[in-house]
Amino acid sequence: EVRLVESGGGLVQPGGSLGLSCATSGFNFGDTGMTWVRQAPGKGLQWVSGISYNGRAIGYADSVKGRFTISRDDSKNIVYLYMHDLRVDDTAFYFCARDGPAWSRPDWGQGTLVTVSS
Amino acid sequence: QSALTQPPSASGSPGQSVTISCTGTRSDVGRYNDLSWYQQHPSEVPKLIIYGVNRRPSGVPDRFSGSKSGNAASLTISGLQVEDEADYYCSSYAGNDKLIFGGGTRLTVL
């Protein structure tokens, strides 16, 4: 069974930093790209960042480029999202998802809530 | 990166069919067949229901179908059921290792 478990969310002040983790199991992590998607409360889905299976291809949404960094640790089957210079509009549930065929995302974690507020 | 355009709402009665559109540009939907649809019930995580424009993951009923023409894609749900009431999102590869989602459509089953 595929499992994705996010952690690291919480309350942070504007301009602050936070690191999210997504622990995975149930699939061959080293052969799989991973993605972070966020959803502000009551709003739609927004792709945040993705990393390829070998870490060589990385993408960021324009709204987070230069502030967020995605990385992976294949020895621990974990994908990370480091977030800096956080803004109020970064407030959202952050989901990690496993990459599937045709750029689909067949498996999602339950999400972790990041609240940016003073 | 503009979100793909979806109607904010759609509705239908049980047993009817409903189609939800997803409009992009020639740089995303029009260029790639990496088009997916997700269903999200309140307080739940998104569930993949269509990928590669018209492929269904195992376990998704064949009442759900997808198509694409030019810069627009569509999700059709036939034989609507009460449990189909949810938010639906399309997504497309947009090149340069980027993915974009639609704004979402809230489906109401009357």
Side-chain angles (χ1 to χ4, degrees):
Chain A
E1 178 192 7
V2 173
R3 286 200 71 207
L4 306 169
V5 181
E6 302 92 339
S7 60
L11 175 64
V12 61
Q13 292 188 337
S17 300
L18 206 59
L20 306 182
S21 301
C22 174
T24 75
S25 61
F27 63 98
N28 192 338
F29 183 79
D31 288 343
T32 306
M34 298 295 296
T35 291
W36 287 94
V37 176
R38 68 186 181 184
Q39 186 171 34
K43 302 297 184 182
L45 302 174
Q46 182 189 21
W47 175 80
V48 174
S49 181
I51 185 168
S52 64
Y53 73 99
N54 59 7
R56 293 176 185 170
I58 289 176
Y60 297 98
D62 289 347
S63 59
V64 308
K65 197 168 187 177
R67 300 187 298 121
F68 289 14
T69 301
I70 191 172
S71 65
R72 60 188 296 151
D73 186 337
D74 288 2
S75 68
K76 297 180 179 178
N77 293 348
I78 296 176
V79 61
Y80 301 97
L81 186 69
Y82 296 98
M83 305 181 295
H84 305 284
D85 189 21
L86 282 162
R87 305 166 181 168
V88 171
D89 61 2
D90 292 320
T91 295
F93 286 95
Y94 283 73
F95 300 97
C96 70
R98 177 176 73 92
D99 291 4
W103 277 75
S104 65
R105 302 297 182 261
D107 298 292
W108 298 62
Q110 290 300 309
T112 186
L113 179 61
V114 173
T115 303
V116 185
S117 174
S118 55
Chain B
Q1 293 163 329
S2 298
L4 304 176
T5 301
Q6 296 182 235
S9 64
S11 64
S13 300
Q16 288 185 333
S17 292
V18 66
T19 296
I20 297 171
S21 62
C22 169
T23 303
T25 69
R26 61 183 179 182
S27 298
D28 38 66
V29 176
R31 176 169 294 181
Y32 305 102
N33 287 326
D34 301 314
L35 194 292
S36 301
W37 290 91
Y38 299 85
Q39 176 192 63
Q40 187 180 31
H41 288 107
S43 301
E44 293 187 5
V45 301
K47 174 188 175 183
L48 178 68
I49 56 174
I50 294 288
Y51 69 97
V53 177
N54 55 15
R55 303 177 185 179
R56 284 185 308 277
S58 174
V60 174
D62 59 7
R63 303 186 296 104
F64 294 89
S65 63
S67 64
K68 191 187 88 164
S69 178
N71 298 338
S74 296
L75 171 71
T76 298
I77 309 172
S78 58
L80 267 178
Q81 299 183 2
V82 173
E83 57 263 36
D84 297 334
E85 185 162 293
D87 292 329
Y88 291 84
Y89 296 91
C90 60
S91 75
S92 174
Y93 181 56
N96 296 317
D97 300 310
K98 296 181 188 296
L99 183 70
I100 54 173
F101 284 93
T105 298
R106 177 150 296 176
L107 174 64
T108 301
V109 181
L110 304 170

